[in-house]
Amino acid sequence: MAEEFVAGSTNGVPMDAAAAKSPNSISTVIPGWFSEISPMWPGEAHSLKVEKILFQGKSDYQDVMVFQASDDSPNDVAETFLSISSTYGKVLVLDGVIQLTERDECAYQEMITHLPLCSILNPKKVLVIGGGDGGVLREVARHTSIEQIDICEIDKMVVDVSKEFFPNVAIGYEDHRVNLHIGDGVAFLKAVPEGTYDAVIVDSSDPIGPAEELFKKPFFETVARALRPGGVVCTQAESIWLHMHIIEDIVANCRHIFKGSVNYAWTTVPTYPSGVIGFMLCSTEGPHVDFKHPVNPIDANDKSKRPLKFYNSEIHTAAFCLPSFAKRVIDSKA
Amino acid sequence: MAEEFVAGSTNGVPMDAAAAKSPNSISTVIPGWFSEISPMWPGEAHSLKVEKILFQGKSDYQDVMVFQASDDSPNDVAETFLSISSTYGKVLVLDGVIQLTERDECAYQEMITHLPLCSILNPKKVLVIGGGDGGVLREVARHTSIEQIDICEIDKMVVDVSKEFFPNVAIGYEDHRVNLHIGDGVAFLKAVPEGTYDAVIVDSSDPIGPAEELFKKPFFETVARALRPGGVVCTQAESIWLHMHIIEDIVANCRHIFKGSVNYAWTTVPTYPSGVIGFMLCSTEGPHVDFKHPVNPIDANDKSKRPLKFYNSEIHTAAFCLPSFAKRVIDSKA
């Protein structure tokens, strides 16, 4: 199966040049391996060994692929050193970029959801933009105060593929409070009455591709309008190691638009480029939101059948502590 | 130049099999790229594009390589999104595993040094085991209270290569308080009088290879003996995402040996496998050490010519906050 997508290095095309011409291509660097090459992180690539390709398709918006990562342990030495989950499991790839793996999706989904929702009391109405895999829905549903969970995902293929191949992620759709809308997030936001939501979570891909608009100022203005006073937004906001220029712009835009709190947080996700991902957390004018100190903890009484794997109140607060090189840039926008 | 070390995928040898047979080999997955393949992280590989190989040698202990990472930006789109430092610069590789890059070495060196040294008042005598590149020395030297910095590195080639190719790292050797000993760290520790050091920093490579002994119980006993009452040790302690089994063992051993505090901390280093690296911090019986709350901050009055890039007091405390999956394992050893 793996041979189907072998290309590039074995036929003499330099992979970086190929990637530059076609950043959306599914590329491999070793026969039987998947490699993530993009102009967004030139000169580096993370590769996973492929056991089997489970799905390859082209939607109206992007290339969609699912593969099973190998769980081979190459020799006895390795056995001694591996952790319990020695495989990345199934992997979802959009336009050649890894979106989630079964091993580490918990970090991203739990943090992007609970950082905003644990920062406000009694959230009732939540909107998810993007997040078609359903993982954020799964996490939102842990909050018992919530009455309505709207999701607007542009690409139906992502929803369908997740339901077929990632049942532990797409389980989020099974909650009776969820309303799925397939369509453009910006248009959806513009159509909702002002002040509708307690929280908006923007679970987008990178700013090259269908998610481009979700990193621009007009989008943030639309989000602010849809939030109640003292409502919160959390958006995927790239890597401090790779994309400080993008982050600088997002922070500057958000400080202009959101008159409550504006904070940057980050966490570890091994299969994202540079191993980290950040979040922009903002609140609208109204009751004060102190993002760094959760007022609505969910981990203390976590008696669910699926306990939290990553998030807890300590790591919530820690996520807002930035390395000095990032702190200097972000604070300069204050 | 880069073609010199091309192997594996282009001549029909499956790379994972090759890596399993020869974990110490310098392997590549694309011509002109360096890829890090090891039985310690089977099924995944991080790759950097190589501009030029600057050094390749074989010491008595390991393969040593230095290359210049590419700083090509493949197209105009990328320019918009890159951070100021768009290249990893020069890269030091031992036995096929990346030890440091000029872009992200600050995170590792600053954290492994200041986590222990900012946790005690007036450290005077410090021992570094390993750390031949000199980066830890550079960081130790920021502490004005320190009178004596001993370093015991087993491999002279690492010292020489660092002095030739990494002047901003090896600058640590220029401090007049530094005494370099080339030799075995365990033997060195056994020979020093009991209670000699305020702090010992173990900057080792992974437990496959020359650093193997530095992860075992007898070594920690030797370290404890060399520390004064209430003295501290900080050791490189692998990745929570990949090596919880190793970490579990280290924690159990340390709780048995160190009768003061025993804590695990971690940080982000993009070019280390899974993007994170951890540290084991322990203190001997004596004056209490609260690692989570630095008593000897260095960042507040940081007027040095080379300001700290990564470390600050906030990120010090945050480093001890663990994801739930790791916290459960580590706390169970308490």
Side-chain angles (χ1 to χ4, degrees):
Chain A
M1 291 298 284
E3 293 87 278
E4 284 172 17
F5 70 110
V6 168
S9 65
T10 52
N11 60 19
V13 179
M15 286 309 297
D16 55 312
K21 279 181 210 150
S22 173
N24 297 341
S25 69
I26 295 162
S27 23
T28 57
V29 290
I30 328 175
W33 290 58
F34 165 81
S35 288
E36 190 182 59
I37 293 179
S38 163
M40 285 211 36
W41 42 90
E44 66 180 311
H46 188 243
S47 306
L48 293 176
K49 193 182 173 198
V50 176
E51 183 74 31
K52 191 177 181 181
I53 295 180
L54 301 171
F55 179 84
Q56 267 185 298
K58 197 170 173 58
S59 75
D60 291 343
Y61 302 97
Q62 54 204 343
D63 293 318
V64 179
M65 180 170 78
V66 178
F67 69 85
Q68 176 76 45
S70 167
D71 64 354
D72 287 0
S73 301
N75 60 24
D76 292 345
V77 178
E79 292 293 343
T80 318
F81 296 109
L82 294 177
S83 53
I84 298 156
S85 167
S86 65
T87 172
Y88 284 96
K90 289 199 279 289
V91 181
L92 174 65
V93 180
L94 300 180
D95 279 350
V97 177
I98 292 173
Q99 301 299 307
L100 67 84
T101 81
E102 289 183 310
R103 186 193 218 168
D104 64 3
E105 55 93 12
C106 60
Y108 178 77
Q109 319 272 22
E110 292 183 16
M111 292 298 273
I112 198 173
T113 304
H114 303 307
L115 287 177
L117 294 187
C118 293
S119 297
I120 53 174
L121 291 170
N122 288 311
K124 289 192 164 55
K125 289 188 181 183
V126 175
L127 170 64
V128 180
I129 304 274
D133 55 65
V136 171
L137 300 176
R138 178 191 69 198
E139 296 305 316
V140 173
R142 291 183 191 270
H143 291 262
T144 51
S145 66
I146 284 173
E147 296 166 359
Q148 181 181 331
I149 310 172
D150 294 336
I151 174 168
C152 187
E153 161 64 50
I154 202 167
D155 194 345
K156 187 170 180 295
M157 191 181 280
V158 174
V159 179
D160 294 342
V161 157
S162 185
K163 286 182 175 175
E164 185 169 354
F165 296 104
F166 298 91
N168 292 329
V169 180
I171 192 175
Y173 285 104
E174 292 175 18
D175 194 279
H176 70 279
R177 296 165 291 181
V178 170
N179 312 299
L180 170 62
H181 306 264
I182 298 293
D184 176 60
V186 180
F188 183 89
L189 268 170
K190 281 184 180 160
V192 301
E194 202 174 319
T196 299
Y197 294 105
D198 298 289
V200 173
I201 297 170
V202 186
D203 175 14
S204 71
S205 47
D206 293 318
I208 299 179
E212 189 180 347
E213 292 303 314
L214 307 185
F215 289 81
K216 294 185 176 169
K217 201 167 171 181
F219 174 71
F220 287 109
E221 284 166 346
T222 318
V223 170
R225 193 195 138 273
L227 286 171
R228 66 154 168 87
V232 294
V233 59
C234 180
T235 75
Q236 188 271 96
E238 301 298 326
S239 160
I240 47 173
W241 284 107
L242 298 172
H243 304 119
M244 275 312 297
H245 282 180
I246 304 179
I247 295 167
E248 220 177 324
D249 286 348
I250 297 174
V251 172
N253 284 337
C254 286
R255 287 208 198 277
H256 198 252
I257 293 163
F258 292 94
K259 299 302 178 192
S261 305
V262 174
N263 290 102
Y264 189 86
W266 63 287
T267 197
T268 159
V269 181
T271 53
Y272 287 171
S274 84
V276 303
I277 192 79
F279 308 103
M280 195 73 229
L281 286 131
C282 310
S283 68
T284 52
E285 199 166 8
H288 178 64
V289 177
D290 178 1
F291 283 114
K292 300 180 185 179
H293 299 98
V295 292
N296 182 26
I298 56 161
D299 48 323
N301 286 308
D302 184 18
K303 298 212 168 33
S304 68
K305 279 180 290 182
R306 301 166 175 266
L308 290 160
K309 290 182 185 171
F310 193 92
Y311 177 89
N312 54 60
S313 292
E314 280 180 26
I315 214 153
H316 177 126
T317 298
F320 292 90
C321 300
L322 302 175
S324 300
F325 73 85
K327 194 173 154 68
R328 281 193 280 265
V329 174
I330 289 170
D331 287 355
S332 75
K333 299 287 154 193
Chain B
M1 292 296 285
E3 292 88 276
E4 285 172 17
F5 69 111
V6 169
S9 65
T10 52
N11 61 19
V13 180
M15 288 307 299
D16 56 311
K21 279 180 211 152
S22 172
N24 297 341
S25 69
I26 295 162
S27 8
T28 57
V29 289
I30 326 175
W33 291 60
F34 165 81
S35 289
E36 190 181 58
I37 295 179
S38 162
M40 286 211 37
W41 41 90
E44 66 179 314
H46 188 243
S47 307
L48 293 176
K49 193 180 174 199
V50 175
E51 184 74 31
K52 192 176 182 181
I53 295 181
L54 301 171
F55 179 85
Q56 267 185 299
K58 198 170 172 58
S59 74
D60 291 343
Y61 302 96
Q62 53 204 344
D63 293 319
V64 180
M65 180 170 77
V66 178
F67 68 84
Q68 176 76 45
S70 166
D71 63 354
D72 288 359
S73 301
N75 61 24
D76 292 345
V77 178
E79 293 293 344
T80 319
F81 296 110
L82 295 178
S83 52
I84 298 155
S85 168
S86 64
T87 170
Y88 284 95
K90 289 199 278 289
V91 182
L92 174 65
V93 180
L94 300 179
D95 279 349
V97 177
I98 292 172
Q99 300 299 308
L100 67 83
T101 82
E102 290 184 310
R103 186 193 218 170
D104 64 4
E105 55 93 12
C106 62
Y108 178 78
Q109 320 271 23
E110 293 183 15
M111 292 298 273
I112 198 172
T113 305
H114 303 307
L115 287 177
L117 294 187
C118 293
S119 297
I120 53 173
L121 291 169
N122 288 311
K124 288 192 165 56
K125 289 187 179 182
V126 175
L127 170 64
V128 180
I129 303 276
D133 55 66
V136 171
L137 301 176
R138 179 191 69 198
E139 295 306 315
V140 173
R142 292 184 191 271
H143 291 263
T144 51
S145 66
I146 284 173
E147 296 165 359
Q148 180 181 332
I149 310 171
D150 294 337
I151 174 167
C152 187
E153 162 64 50
I154 202 167
D155 194 345
K156 187 169 180 297
M157 190 181 281
V158 174
V159 179
D160 294 341
V161 158
S162 185
K163 287 182 176 176
E164 184 170 352
F165 297 104
F166 299 90
N168 293 329
V169 180
I171 193 174
Y173 285 104
E174 293 176 16
D175 193 279
H176 70 280
R177 296 165 291 180
V178 170
N179 312 299
L180 171 61
H181 306 263
I182 298 293
D184 176 60
V186 180
F188 183 89
L189 268 170
K190 281 184 180 161
V192 301
E194 203 176 319
T196 298
Y197 294 106
D198 298 288
V200 174
I201 297 170
V202 187
D203 175 13
S204 71
S205 46
D206 293 318
I208 298 180
E212 189 180 348
E213 292 303 314
L214 308 185
F215 288 80
K216 294 185 176 169
K217 201 169 172 181
F219 173 72
F220 288 109
E221 285 166 346
T222 318
V223 170
R225 194 194 137 275
L227 286 171
R228 67 155 166 88
V232 294
V233 59
C234 180
T235 76
Q236 187 270 96
E238 301 298 326
S239 159
I240 47 174
W241 284 107
L242 297 172
H243 304 118
M244 275 312 295
H245 282 179
I246 303 180
I247 295 167
E248 221 178 323
D249 286 349
I250 296 174
V251 172
N253 284 337
C254 286
R255 288 209 198 275
H256 198 251
I257 293 164
F258 292 94
K259 298 302 178 191
S261 306
V262 175
N263 289 102
Y264 190 86
W266 62 287
T267 196
T268 158
V269 181
T271 53
Y272 287 172
S274 83
V276 303
I277 192 79
F279 308 103
M280 195 73 229
L281 286 131
C282 308
S283 67
T284 52
E285 199 166 7
H288 178 65
V289 177
D290 179 0
F291 283 114
K292 299 179 185 179
H293 299 98
V295 292
N296 182 26
I298 55 161
D299 48 322
N301 285 308
D302 185 17
K303 297 208 169 38
S304 68
K305 280 179 289 182
R306 299 165 176 267
L308 289 160
K309 290 182 184 170
F310 193 93
Y311 177 90
N312 55 59
S313 292
E314 278 180 29
I315 214 154
H316 177 126
T317 298
F320 293 90
C321 300
L322 303 175
S324 301
F325 73 86
K327 194 173 154 67
R328 280 193 280 264
V329 174
I330 289 171
D331 288 355
S332 74
K333 298 289 153 192

